[in-house]
Amino acid sequence: MISLCSSYTVFGQNPNPTKRQPKDLMLKVLNNLDARSVALCLVVSRTWNLVASSDLLWTSKCEELWNGKAHIPRLSLVRGISKLDAYSLSVMDGKRNRIVKDDLCDHVWEFHFTKAAPEYWRNLDPYWRGNGPPMHRYFHPDGSQTADPGDKVWGGHECCYSIVTSIIGEGKIREHYVRINRWLPLTVFRKQDWSWEMSNNLYCYSSVPDAYKEGGTGPLFLVM
């Protein structure tokens, strides 16, 4: 990986290399730097900032960041924002562990019982039988939840969900979970690929990857 120091060497240790080097050469050099090093170049000078904040440069950085991710944040795909902002917002959203209604409703969720669940339920679950596609669950903005037609586990009973978040001083989250009806709370986890998992000792929900989804998914604002 090329370091920030080596970029100074390329430009002859000139703090304002554009006086001697064309912009396209600067872009080629910066494109070989990791995102953190490019970000450091933003504060060298106004000229460096102009080049280092180029959409041409950060478009490829965004593609590298999003590669292999299950979900792409909606707030990073808003029309008109710079690719640098898109990258920064993606990184911040990817660290978010607090799930919101937009996340629940935007994704399809795979559902299966855990090993601790009663054997009768596991015998109805393709996850354990290995003889069919996984069961799916869908969250809706009106607070309801549905399943695929013909789901043998889905009993047709009333099903609603709620997100419970309690916050103490300085915005610190004390408790955060999702509840279906009055059943056991679901603890929320965020994975390295930005996908979600919600589980308790009886069943588990996993968000189905949808990085291809036009416009992205999740909230249109930063959630802390």
Side-chain angles (χ1 to χ4, degrees), residues 65 67-70 94 189-196:
L65 175 66
N67 184 40
K69 297 299 191 294
F189 300 95
R190 192 75 181 274
K191 298 181 180 179
Q192 290 293 323
D193 66 353
W194 298 354
S195 63
W196 297 91

Side-chain angles (χ1 to χ4, degrees), residues 123-191:
N123 286 337
L124 296 175
D125 189 345
Y127 177 86
W128 292 101
R129 293 181 301 172
N131 61 349
M135 295 183 288
H136 291 130
R137 296 292 181 267
Y138 308 90
F139 294 87
H140 306 288
D142 64 358
S144 64
Q145 185 196 45
T146 57
D148 290 324
D151 190 306
K152 293 183 179 180
V153 173
W154 189 259
H157 50 271
E158 179 185 2
C159 195
C160 58
Y161 68 89
S162 59
I163 302 173
V164 179
T165 305
S166 59
I167 299 177
I168 56 180
E170 299 182 354
K172 184 178 180 180
I173 295 177
R174 181 181 63 182
E175 197 172 31
H176 178 62
Y177 60 86
V178 174
R179 171 164 277 167
I180 311 296
N181 287 349
R182 294 185 179 275
W183 302 334
L184 294 174
L186 292 159
T187 302
V188 179
F189 300 95
R190 192 75 181 274
K191 298 181 180 179

Side-chain angles (χ1 to χ4, degrees), residues 94-150:
K95 295 178 180 180
R96 172 172 60 93
N97 292 308
R98 180 181 174 184
I99 201 167
V100 297
K101 182 180 286 188
D102 295 292
D103 299 305
L104 292 176
C105 297
D106 282 347
H107 308 310
V108 176
W109 295 80
E110 288 188 4
F111 170 87
H112 68 82
F113 290 107
T114 68
K115 190 175 182 179
E119 184 178 2
Y120 172 80
W121 290 353
R122 285 188 281 114
N123 286 337
L124 296 175
D125 189 345
Y127 177 86
W128 292 101
R129 293 181 301 172
N131 61 349
M135 295 183 288
H136 291 130
R137 296 292 181 267
Y138 308 90
F139 294 87
H140 306 288
D142 64 358
S144 64
Q145 185 196 45
T146 57
D148 290 324

